[in-house]
Amino acid sequence: MGARLRKSHSDRMISGVCGGIAEYLGWDPTIVRIIFVILTFLGWGSPILLYFILAIVMPD
């Protein structure tokens, strides 16, 4: 059975979404957070809205 996308319990700043994505992808959580901030400043889609949706939908 493969890895599952879950919130991180060890790498959490706000709700663990970026840390969980980083664990799922095998990346450093700092890289995922930097990408999130860059996308927010560039205005691509709505990363903040996506973050809040993932914070509600992703299991703990």
Side-chain angles (χ1 to χ4, degrees), residues 5-6 16-27 32 54 58:
L5 183 59
R6 297 183 172 271
V17 172
C18 289
I21 293 171
E23 287 178 6
Y24 180 76
L25 296 174
W27 295 0
V32 175
L54 287 175
M58 283 176 66

Side-chain angles (χ1 to χ4, degrees), residues 15-46:
S15 70
V17 172
C18 289
I21 293 171
E23 287 178 6
Y24 180 76
L25 296 174
W27 295 0
D28 187 89
T30 306
I31 294 172
V32 175
R33 290 181 185 114
I34 290 171
I35 290 171
F36 178 80
V37 169
I38 290 171
L39 290 176
T40 300
F41 283 123
L42 291 176
W44 289 358
S46 183

Side-chain angles (χ1 to χ4, degrees), residues 7-17 19-20 29 33 51 60:
K7 293 180 193 173
S8 176
H9 292 284
S10 59
D11 287 317
R12 63 177 14 184
M13 294 291 250
I14 298 174
S15 70
V17 172
R33 290 181 185 114
Y51 185 90
D60 287 331

